[in-house]
Amino acid sequence: MAVQIDQKYTDLQACCACLGFVDENVYKVDADAPASIRSILRYLRYESSSCDIRRELGSMKILVSDLIPLLKVSKSDPVLFDLAVRLMVSLTQPAVVCFRNEIPTDRDLYAAFLKVDSILKSYKQAFADEDLFRVLAERVEYVFNKDWDERSDDDRLMIERILILIRNVLHISPDRSTEHRTDEDVSIHDQLLWTIHLSGWDDILLFLANAQDERGVFAFHILEIVSLMLREQTPEQLASAGKKAKIDDPHSQILERFHLREQEQKRAALTEFNMRHNRFGGTFELLGTQSISSRPLIYHHDVTAPLRRNHLGSGKNQKSISAIGQVDLNLGKQIRRKAVNRKPLIEREHHRRSILSVQLFLQKFCWEFLQNCYNLLMASARSAIMRQSTQANDETYY
């Protein structure tokens, strides 16, 4: 079995070596490059559940050293260009998709999942290349210049693969362990957004979202790309980008001081209200809640005290407090802590303030998108959802 695995990796390395080479800063495409890419795609199609082929290609850095330079020089060869885009789409798909849309619980598979995720994070820096996105934009514009009747299914698939490639690259999460970026600092995601702007892809996305024929086909891909472009931004930051900070109004400062003083008075009144020791709180019956017997449940502390304190702090009267039917049965119980290695994974949203040029670009893009494309695009998406006709290669649930 070990000999078979070594033979498979040897064939894979031979295929990667037949893609091409760099000669005086110019990438020379090998004559066997199309056949080699087809063989690599076949290996990826039949890889194991641990994504061994994908991890091996990531360790060889084939995407950075071969595929991106090959794509730049293969504009005149549509067959080779299509094969290179297909391989790049397969290599950049999210790690969760590679593991059947779920994070593996097995220890070995989870280690493989982390390895694939780290490989994807290393790919994102390589895609911040203006020449690469210009080549992709020129290919899409070449298809758009054709009449609708002259376009073939291969042209539509080419546009869809390019959109999926951009979506996959934008979907890669930032590596916070190595990328220590503060606010208003250039991150890898900001570099990628600026590359999209310089290559003209923002105008292409607006055209796709506004054109009737294209909108019905690529609606979900456009929505995913736009949402991933704005993944680290907040509406407040984009709306206030480029505007000077307002000078604080003295009248508002006076109102804020009055509000703080009122909060302190309520807190002092609440402290006086709770001066009684809790050991002499008496016995309470919970009406409507049966115990083991047929009698009401008995508690030796007031389970409505937290709610009464909250309502007292909010300024409500005693009648509304007495009408509360909710109780807190967890009051006084000891909370059992869960081990760190058994806690569920929580994906927290990461927001940061980008540099001013990126904020202004996103602000202008959002304004044009909302003004010209939003209603039309959402109508197409709603129509597709109502008909239950999801688009192909759409792994993100909208």
Side-chain angles (χ1 to χ4, degrees), residues 163 166-168 170-171 189 193 196 201-210 218-233 238 361-362 365-370 373-374 377-378 398:
L163 291 177
I166 297 175
R167 181 202 65 181
N168 290 346
L170 290 172
H171 186 271
H189 193 74
L193 292 177
I196 291 174
W201 262 101
D202 50 347
D203 297 331
I204 295 177
L205 292 175
L206 293 174
F207 171 76
L208 287 172
N210 198 16
F218 309 115
F220 286 93
H221 298 318
I222 298 170
L223 285 174
E224 288 175 342
I225 291 174
V226 173
S227 64
L228 291 173
M229 288 173 62
L230 306 174
R231 64 185 304 177
E232 295 183 353
Q233 310 296 327
L238 289 182
F361 152 62
L362 292 177
F365 177 80
C366 291
W367 173 253
E368 294 179 355
F369 181 79
L370 292 174
C373 310
Y374 180 78
L377 193 63
M378 295 305 292
Y398 172 70

Side-chain angles (χ1 to χ4, degrees), residues 282-289 295-301 303 327:
T283 304
F284 299 87
E285 291 185 355
L286 297 183
L287 300 179
T289 305
R295 297 180 179 180
L297 184 63
I298 297 176
Y299 258 80
H300 295 281
H301 58 268
V303 291
V327 294

